[in-house]
Amino acid sequence: MSDLIDTWASEPLATLERESLRRKLEPLESPVGARVRIDGRELINFSSNDYLGLAAHPELVKAAHTALDAHGVGAGASRLVVGDTTAHQSLERALASFEGTEAALLFNSGYAANVGALAALFGPGDVLFSDALNHASLIDGCRLSRARVVVYPHGDVEALESLLRENPGRRRAVVTDAVFSMDGDRAPLKALREVCTRHAAALFVDEAHATGVLGATGRGLCELEGVTPDVHVGTLSKALGSFGGFVCGSTALRELLLNRARTLIFSTALPAAVCAAAERALELVREGSARRNLDTLRAQLGAKSSAIFPVMLGSAENALRVSAELREAGLLVKAIRPPTVPEGTSRLRIAVTAAHTTDDVTQLLAVLERSGAVRASAVHTGTGDEERAGVGRRA
Ligand SMILES: *Cc1c(COP(=O)(O)O)cnc(C)c1O
């Protein structure tokens, strides 16, 4: 027991409680999926990033079991020491082949991939141009690099180009989510690629919510838009149903990160079992049936840009209230509040997956309408076209 820490903790916790911002854990008693059990009750789950319904898929479980028998549970060391296995190497070859790049490098999470890659590639004297709604892991990677960070208004290519003109630097890169995690809209990747090329800046794209969801073969928004980024980051933990992160690009990029990225060098390697499961997931993504099912459900829900459909509710209190109403009706849709989203933009973040049914979505839409949330909130349907204020979030 630390009296000192308890004293320090009590005031911020009381403030969070008062502002409806305190967060709580809720353990699942079931595998994650379209239906989950919490506290003995089955709920239809619209809050996971398991977009293709693969997290508890029998084929992934089987692949993990086989690797567990072959390699054991823990990796025992970082990859550069003795934590590397044939399962890691095999997955990296599969990722490079899937993404159509020379090479791929695994990280222990998407978060670690962004932080490790940005901090390894950039430093003092460099300038990073970062979208105002970028994910926290990109923001943290930019900060940790000690490059100068210039935040540009969300999706605003014209403003970005002016900033590129005004901010010279040794090395420069534009850093962006492909699909924005809490809004579900898309970065204007084609225009960003053109601007980067014009100004000799690299394009660093995080495909966390697009891998497996967008593109003719599920490679993401870059594939859909025909854009080749300089650095392509993805996660194995969302549509791929497993765990871990990766960076795809040239062989030189892989070699540099292997030698320089601190989140890779100073952390134990991923367990072989999660690598084997992710490799099986890539094969299922290639096969394509889950993505086609997801496309149908997205259309029914009106989620045009991605599998994410935000219902804006303003205050944290409002978001909690509507979330509780949905829970009463057997629907699990967690409220998303600051600091995950900017002040005054608390929301329900609905994520549809290939494991849902059209009945699930019909039920969700009916309950949302009954609660008044849909009409009251000017649901933005994620076309990616809307003009939105370029307010900085956590930036
Ligand atoms: C979830 C997420 C990450 C982090 O990926 P993890 O594998 O969960 O650590 C990175 N970037 C974006 C945009 C994300 O939404």
Side-chain angles (χ1 to χ4, degrees):
M1 275 295 287
S2 161
D3 290 341
L4 203 51
I5 297 295
D6 290 359
T7 311
W8 292 343
S10 63
E11 193 191 307
L13 285 175
T15 307
L16 288 172
E17 189 69 46
R18 203 165 49 244
E19 295 175 350
S20 301
L21 293 177
R22 184 151 175 186
R23 307 188 184 202
K24 293 193 185 70
L25 292 171
E26 285 195 294
L28 301 194
E29 294 153 359
S30 66
V32 74
R35 278 164 184 71
V36 295
R37 200 171 51 251
I38 294 180
D39 209 7
R41 184 159 174 239
E42 184 174 277
L43 298 164
I44 304 177
N45 167 28
F46 285 102
S47 283
S48 82
N49 300 313
D50 179 26
Y51 300 124
L52 297 178
L54 296 181
H57 193 286
E59 288 293 319
L60 270 70
V61 173
K62 198 168 110 197
H65 271 303
T66 305
L68 275 174
D69 290 338
H71 296 280
V73 178
S78 71
R79 283 198 68 198
L80 290 164
V81 179
V82 73
D84 192 28
T85 70
T86 47
H88 295 78
Q89 299 271 347
S90 175
L91 173 58
E92 286 179 338
R93 282 192 298 274
L95 281 166
S97 153
F98 176 73
E99 299 290 356
T101 53
E102 261 179 29
L105 183 64
L106 289 173
F107 282 80
N108 286 357
S109 65
Y111 190 105
N114 280 330
V115 169
L118 286 164
L121 289 169
F122 304 100
D126 299 336
V127 188
L128 292 170
F129 299 82
S130 175
D131 187 287
L133 293 189
N134 272 347
H135 188 260
S137 56
L138 291 172
I139 295 169
D140 293 355
C142 287
R143 286 179 179 160
L144 200 60
S145 76
R146 293 184 291 155
R148 199 151 59 79
V149 182
V150 176
V151 176
Y152 63 90
H154 178 53
D156 188 338
V157 181
E158 242 171 73
L160 169 64
E161 183 148 33
S162 303
L163 291 165
L164 277 159
R165 277 199 204 94
E166 294 158 11
N167 292 278
R170 185 180 61 152
R171 303 191 197 103
R172 303 192 301 165
V174 172
V175 179
T176 186
D177 283 20
V179 165
F180 288 85
S181 54
M182 295 300 136
D183 294 73
D185 61 333
R186 300 173 182 169
L189 279 190
K190 233 189 210 123
L192 291 176
R193 175 73 274 179
E194 286 167 15
V195 166
C196 283
T197 304
R198 255 199 310 280
H199 295 273
L203 180 59
F204 187 113
V205 178
D206 176 359
E207 291 262 34
H209 295 277
T211 307
V213 174
L214 300 178
T217 64
R219 278 154 58 187
L221 185 60
C222 289
E223 178 183 31
L224 185 67
E225 301 246 312
V227 163
T228 306
D230 299 286
V231 184
H232 173 139
V233 179
T235 177
L236 306 172
S237 329
K238 287 170 180 159
L240 297 178
S242 183
F243 187 70
F246 60 90
V247 175
C248 287
S250 68
T251 305
L253 171 68
R254 180 179 190 277
E255 283 297 302
L256 182 71
L257 295 181
L258 192 56
N259 284 279
R260 282 266 189 84
R262 294 168 64 86
T263 56
L264 182 149
I265 297 169
F266 297 105
S267 196
T268 298
L270 287 173
V274 308
C275 298
E279 189 169 343
R280 187 72 187 97
L282 285 178
E283 290 162 17
L284 296 177
V285 170
R286 276 215 162 106
E287 183 264 321
S289 61
R291 195 170 55 261
R292 286 189 289 279
N293 193 27
L294 177 60
D295 286 346
T296 308
L297 295 163
R298 275 176 50 200
Q300 187 192 354
L301 183 62
K304 294 196 185 107
S305 296
S306 67
I308 302 163
F309 184 82
V311 176
M312 308 302 272
L313 290 161
S315 71
E317 216 178 341
N318 243 352
L320 285 177
R321 184 180 50 76
V322 180
S323 174
E325 275 177 42
L326 266 65
R327 181 76 70 107
E328 279 297 297
L331 304 169
L332 179 61
V333 186
K334 293 278 195 141
I336 305 289
R337 297 164 281 165
T340 306
V341 293
E343 198 61 49
T345 71
S346 286
R347 66 197 68 183
L348 301 183
R349 174 188 180 275
I350 295 162
V352 70
T353 76
H356 287 109
T357 64
T358 52
D359 279 353
D360 294 340
V361 175
T362 304
Q363 202 177 324
L364 170 71
L365 288 170
V367 177
L368 277 175
E369 194 151 329
R370 209 158 60 228
S371 76
V374 167
R375 255 164 303 125
S377 71
V379 172
H380 93 61
T381 50
T383 58
D385 297 324
E386 302 99 318
E387 269 301 314
R388 252 172 294 159
V391 288
R393 180 187 56 164
R394 298 162 301 179

